[in-house]
Amino acid sequence: MRRSAPAGRRGGGRLRLAVTAMLAGTLLLTAACSGGGDDDKPSWQGGGNGSGAGASQAPSAGPKLSTVAVTSPATDATSVELRSEVKYNSEDPQNTEVTVTDAKGKTVEGTLDKDGNAWRPAEALAWNTKYTVTVKTPAAEGKNNTTTSSFTTMKEPSDLVRVTSFLADGQTVGVGMPLIMKFGKAIPEKYRGEVERRMPVTATPAQEGTWRWISPTEVQYRPKEYWQAGTKVFYKAQLKGVKLGDNAYGRSDLTVDLKIGRKMVMNVSNKTKTMTVEEDGKVIKTIKVSLGKKSTPSASGTMVVMEKAAHTIFDTTDEDPVNGYKTPIDWAQRVTYSGQFIHAAPWSEGVQGRSNVSHGCVNISEALGKWLFDRTLMGDVVTVSGTEEKLKNGDGWTNWNMSWEEYKKGSYLKN
């Protein structure tokens, strides 16, 4: 007969089995919950080299809040120039809004360059005024992402430079008319390029052109070719608060809106002693002329009508007290600073078309002097050819008396 194990021994066996199972479970739990590095992690927790199909990915990050900051002008900056741009940082520039307000809370007009992260005022800001900048991007993660900054513009300086335009709104001028801007004091060379940048010219239809410095106080603009007949021209000087010298600033802005008339060109030939008048490419009149005699020759070159007077007096006695003269003149049209005019000269009508007897002017008859005077505009082109003397650049509006390549050299904006 088989003997049974004692009860104590049977119970002890079951106890050993339970302890063994519990220890094994403890070891598995320890292996799963502890470890010194990635190599100790099971593959299903992203550790070790496991990459089985059952591996899960780490949870993705939530939406990131875009941050903004004003970088220029610095917060609470003072003496800021009137045309300074506002620079900012943004992680979402295409959806960033920029608002600038003055001390009264009025919004300042400006343009936003989202690619360059810059806001630029449409006009000069006011002197000695506090402005507040607000930069904002769309809310993210329930937060309103907005920043503000303030700055104060410079006080009005004592040295302000007056800027004036020779032409005014509403004028109609000839196809050779240069745009002329003058300054109340000399502009040093290092500031001239910035002045040109601040004086944009818009022509409709569009035409290539450039400014050229005639002197430290005067700059003129012409297109590459004569203005197209009927062109609308708009130009502006955005110079208020712009530095025009070491301690000088522009006093104000100005704009001019004008029109180019029909194309009229007067071609004077010393060889034939005639003036051929062309309008829009067609000859409308041929006029007999008398030019300057050998001792006082007319200048050959390309000029424009600068000034018109129906009746005036030529007085040269101040320049030449001995041989000077005072003579009443009708239908005078100035083409040079030095005194070359187109005008009626009834005393030379008998030789007009045959010989030269003037002091350098273009003489025409009384009747044709009025006919021409009634049809010309300031800025109409006059060419004289075949005389003993050449026109000196600068003796009048001689913008067309040089090539385009030569003319461009007078600009401080280098392409």
Side-chain angles (χ1 to χ4, degrees):
M1 181 177 67
R2 189 172 57 185
R3 296 175 62 185
S4 297
R9 293 185 62 186
R10 289 198 302 267
R14 285 194 297 268
L15 178 61
R16 283 194 298 273
L17 289 173
V19 171
T20 301
M22 183 173 64
L23 288 174
T26 301
L27 290 173
L28 287 172
L29 182 61
T30 302
C33 296
S34 65
D38 288 343
D39 290 341
D40 295 326
K41 294 180 180 179
S43 61
W44 51 268
Q45 285 187 318
N49 296 321
S51 57
S56 63
Q57 300 297 321
S60 59
K64 186 176 182 180
L65 179 63
S66 174
T67 58
V68 290
V70 177
T71 59
S72 177
T75 299
D76 297 327
T78 58
S79 299
V80 175
E81 294 191 357
L82 305 192
R83 294 189 180 275
S84 297
E85 63 181 15
V86 173
K87 297 286 289 183
Y88 60 92
N89 286 336
S90 173
E91 294 175 357
D92 187 8
Q94 295 307 311
N95 293 309
T96 297
E97 298 176 3
V98 179
T99 304
V100 179
T101 56
D102 62 17
K104 297 180 180 180
K106 182 180 179 180
T107 299
V108 179
E109 295 296 325
T111 57
L112 185 59
D113 178 0
K114 293 188 175 182
D115 293 328
N117 284 10
W119 177 94
R120 301 181 181 94
E123 297 180 356
L125 302 176
W127 303 108
N128 195 30
T129 300
K130 184 176 181 179
Y131 291 90
T132 300
V133 182
T134 302
V135 183
K136 179 180 179 181
T137 57
E141 295 182 349
K143 297 179 181 179
N144 185 18
N145 197 25
T146 302
T147 188
T148 60
S149 178
S150 297
F151 64 90
T152 302
T153 53
M154 64 187 294
K155 295 180 180 179
E156 184 173 329
S158 58
D159 192 356
L160 291 174
V161 181
R162 182 177 174 82
V163 183
T164 58
S165 169
F166 180 82
L167 297 172
D169 282 340
Q171 284 186 269
T172 299
V173 295
V175 297
M177 185 70 212
L179 310 181
I180 303 172
M181 300 292 292
K182 295 185 177 182
F183 304 91
K185 65 183 299 182
I187 306 300
E189 290 190 11
K190 66 180 180 179
Y191 297 103
R192 294 179 190 175
E194 183 62 18
V195 168
E196 291 182 55
R197 275 189 288 271
R198 298 284 186 176
M199 297 196 304
V201 177
T202 303
T204 307
Q207 293 152 69
E208 182 181 0
T210 187
W211 292 101
R212 176 184 176 88
W213 289 83
I214 307 303
S215 74
T217 59
E218 182 174 341
V219 63
Q220 298 184 2
Y221 182 100
R222 60 157 269 200
K224 183 176 182 180
E225 308 291 343
Y226 294 143
W227 294 107
Q228 295 178 33
T231 296
K232 294 180 179 180
V233 179
F234 175 77
Y235 60 102
K236 53 189 174 181
Q238 299 171 309
L239 296 173
K240 180 182 177 181
V242 174
K243 206 166 189 180
L244 301 182
D246 292 343
N247 295 299
Y249 292 81
R251 179 190 297 274
S252 60
D253 294 343
L254 64 83
T255 62
V256 179
D257 205 337
L258 54 84
K259 183 179 179 181
I260 307 299
R262 76 289 171 274
K263 181 179 182 180
M264 179 172 279
V265 178
M266 293 158 272
N267 296 308
V268 179
S269 169
N270 185 38
K271 181 178 180 180
T272 63
K273 305 293 189 292
T274 60
M275 172 193 290
T276 302
V277 183
E278 297 181 1
E279 186 172 312
D280 293 327
K282 297 181 180 180
V283 176
I284 61 172
K285 185 74 74 174
T286 298
I287 301 173
K288 294 179 180 180
V289 303
S290 179
L291 301 177
K293 55 192 175 185
K294 287 188 177 180
S295 60
T296 54
S298 302
S300 288
T302 303
M303 298 155 263
V304 299
V305 175
M306 303 169 61
E307 178 186 8
K308 297 176 65 176
H311 310 289
T312 188
I313 294 177
F314 284 0
D315 184 354
T316 64
T317 55
D318 287 342
E319 300 173 4
D320 188 349
V322 176
N323 300 311
Y325 56 88
K326 290 184 179 181
T327 305
I329 298 293
D330 294 335
W331 319 120
Q333 304 187 60
R334 180 188 287 273
V335 293
T336 70
Y337 289 134
S338 60
Q340 191 164 318
F341 286 77
I342 301 169
H343 65 82
W347 57 86
S348 70
E349 287 186 14
V351 298
Q352 290 170 12
R354 296 189 292 111
S355 62
N356 296 331
V357 297
S358 83
H359 291 86
C361 293
V362 179
N363 287 181
I364 58 180
S365 70
E366 187 77 17
L368 290 176
K370 183 179 188 308
W371 178 90
L372 187 64
F373 187 93
D374 288 344
R375 286 163 176 76
T376 57
L377 296 170
M378 184 172 61
D380 281 343
V381 178
V382 179
T383 69
V384 176
S385 62
T387 65
E388 300 89 340
E389 187 172 299
K390 290 185 177 181
L391 177 67
K392 295 178 180 178
N393 287 331
D395 185 12
W397 299 339
T398 55
N399 309 68
W400 303 101
N401 199 51
M402 62 188 79
S403 69
W404 174 241
E405 292 304 318
E406 181 65 22
Y407 191 81
K408 290 193 298 182
K409 292 179 182 178
S411 170
Y412 281 75
L413 287 178
K414 304 306 178 185
N415 296 328

